[in-house]
Every structure is written in C-alpha cells, then in structure tokens.
Amino acid sequence: MSKTIIHVDMDAFYAAVETRDNPALAGKPLIIGSLPGERGVVSTCNYEAREFGVRSAMSIQEAYQRCPHGQYMHPNMAKYKEASDAIHKIWNDYTDVVEYLSLDEGYLDVTGSLGLFGSAKEIARQIKEQTKAEVGLTCSVGVGYSMATAKLASEEKKPDGYFEIPDAAFFQELTAGRDVRIILGVGAKSADKLY
C-alpha cells in the first residue's frame, strides 16, 4: 500500500512568532540569535533578512556586516515552545502517526486519515487555515509518497505554500537537471560521489 506523507514546515518560525507578537517588526529584517558584538550565530531570520544574504548558522558578525540595519534579538524559547505546542496539537488532530523534527517541523503520515478528512490536499489546506487562525502563523506544506518527497515538496513554494509530489514519475520530472543536494539526506560528500 502506498503512503501519503505530509511535511509541515513553519515559515521562519522564531522570527514569525516575534513579528506576530510585535507587529512593528513586520517588513523589517529580523535576526534571532546572538546580538551584534556578541560571539554566536543566527538561529533564524525572516525572509526580509534573507534578502541580504543572512542565513541560519551564520556568524552574527557576518550577519551584521550584511544587514547592519536589521533588528536583532535573543531567542525566547519559552514563547516558541508554547507556539509549537499549539501547532503540534493541530497536527495531532489529523493523525497519530507524527514525527516531530523540531519545534516547527514534522512529518504526518495521513495514509489512514484520508477516509476521515478527504484528500491530502484538503488536510493540508485545513492545517494551514487552522494554523493561521489559531496560532497566527503561516506554514509551508508538502505532500509526497515518502518522507523525502514530502520534504522536497514543502520547499517548493515557500513561504506559506503548498505543493504535491504524487508519484515517482513526477518526482523524476521535477528533479531532472537540479542539484542532487535538494534531496533529503544528500550532502556535499554524497553529492560528489553521485556526480
């Protein structure tokens, strides 16, 4: 029996929570992690900061060089955990086969839930709508026939997107000519061996 897997990935989660709670941050580059002048890295940043080349795990000094006018703040893990608990509660409404990867990302095996809730697309739509209405945040949702394809699908239309990879033929067509590292689990060393 083929599986139907949904991958949910919250959009710039920490930064989105901070912007939800302080709308004055909306539209401004926001970097969560260490502050300029401290030793440390970027935990995450919003899409406005990414336009300046700021990325997760980048040193805070480099982030500041790229985006000196950004808003910088330390993470508030208690606040993010509270938002995460609310998100996970929504996911658990649709299946009890869930694998959490982090506070803001997880896989849902909805193979056995389709009879109750309709298509995977309908479940994804409901998750997105509930997340926005109940938690005030957006997420990107991918549907696939495996964890790897669901993850790839969720990356296709970020932020606040939906994408589906229904079968192997579609996956091959989608990935033809792309860098092999877009596939979950393929890093630089594996990529070198595959080329």
Side-chain angles (χ1 to χ4, degrees):
M1 179 180 172
S2 62
K3 288 190 175 290
T4 303
I5 309 295
I6 290 178
H7 179 257
V8 185
D9 193 4
M10 302 305 296
D11 299 319
F13 182 56
Y14 294 1
V17 172
E18 296 295 350
T19 303
R20 177 198 68 184
D21 294 348
N22 181 3
L25 295 170
K28 299 176 182 176
L30 176 60
I31 297 96
I32 310 290
S34 300
L35 301 182
E38 297 177 348
R39 290 187 64 184
V41 298
V42 175
S43 293
T44 193
C45 59
N46 65 6
Y47 291 95
E48 290 83 355
R50 293 176 195 187
E51 290 177 11
F52 293 91
V54 179
R55 297 282 181 267
S56 297
M58 175 181 284
S59 77
I60 205 69
Q61 287 81 8
E62 183 176 352
Y64 188 71
Q65 288 171 355
R66 290 174 183 247
C67 191
H69 60 287
Q71 306 290 310
Y72 291 80
M73 63 176 58
H74 289 130
N76 182 335
M77 296 311 295
K79 184 192 293 191
Y80 310 148
K81 177 68 167 66
E82 181 180 352
S84 176
D85 289 345
I87 293 159
H88 290 177
K89 184 176 183 300
I90 293 169
W91 298 354
N92 292 338
D93 286 343
Y94 294 95
T95 181
D96 58 357
V97 187
V98 180
E99 183 175 328
Y100 304 117
L101 300 179
S102 60
L103 290 176
D104 68 320
E105 182 181 5
Y107 292 100
L108 291 68
D109 184 336
V110 296
T111 310
S113 305
L114 301 177
L116 291 171
F117 299 106
S119 67
K121 184 174 185 177
E122 177 60 20
I123 294 172
R125 183 191 65 76
Q126 290 179 35
I127 288 171
K128 287 173 66 60
E129 286 182 2
Q130 274 188 266
T131 301
K132 183 67 175 170
E134 296 175 21
V135 193
L137 301 172
T138 64
C139 57
S140 294
V141 180
V143 175
Y145 56 91
S146 66
M147 292 169 79
T149 56
K151 169 74 171 172
L152 180 61
S154 73
E155 297 289 331
E156 280 295 304
K157 301 289 183 180
K158 277 185 159 292
D160 196 18
Y162 169 83
F163 195 77
E164 185 171 348
I165 299 176
D167 53 42
F170 188 93
F171 171 75
Q172 288 177 333
E173 184 179 326
L174 179 70
T175 56
R178 291 194 185 185
D179 189 319
V180 71
R181 286 179 290 184
I182 65 167
I183 299 172
L184 178 67
V186 178
K189 289 183 180 180
S190 298
D192 287 343
K193 292 177 182 177
L194 293 169
Y195 285 126

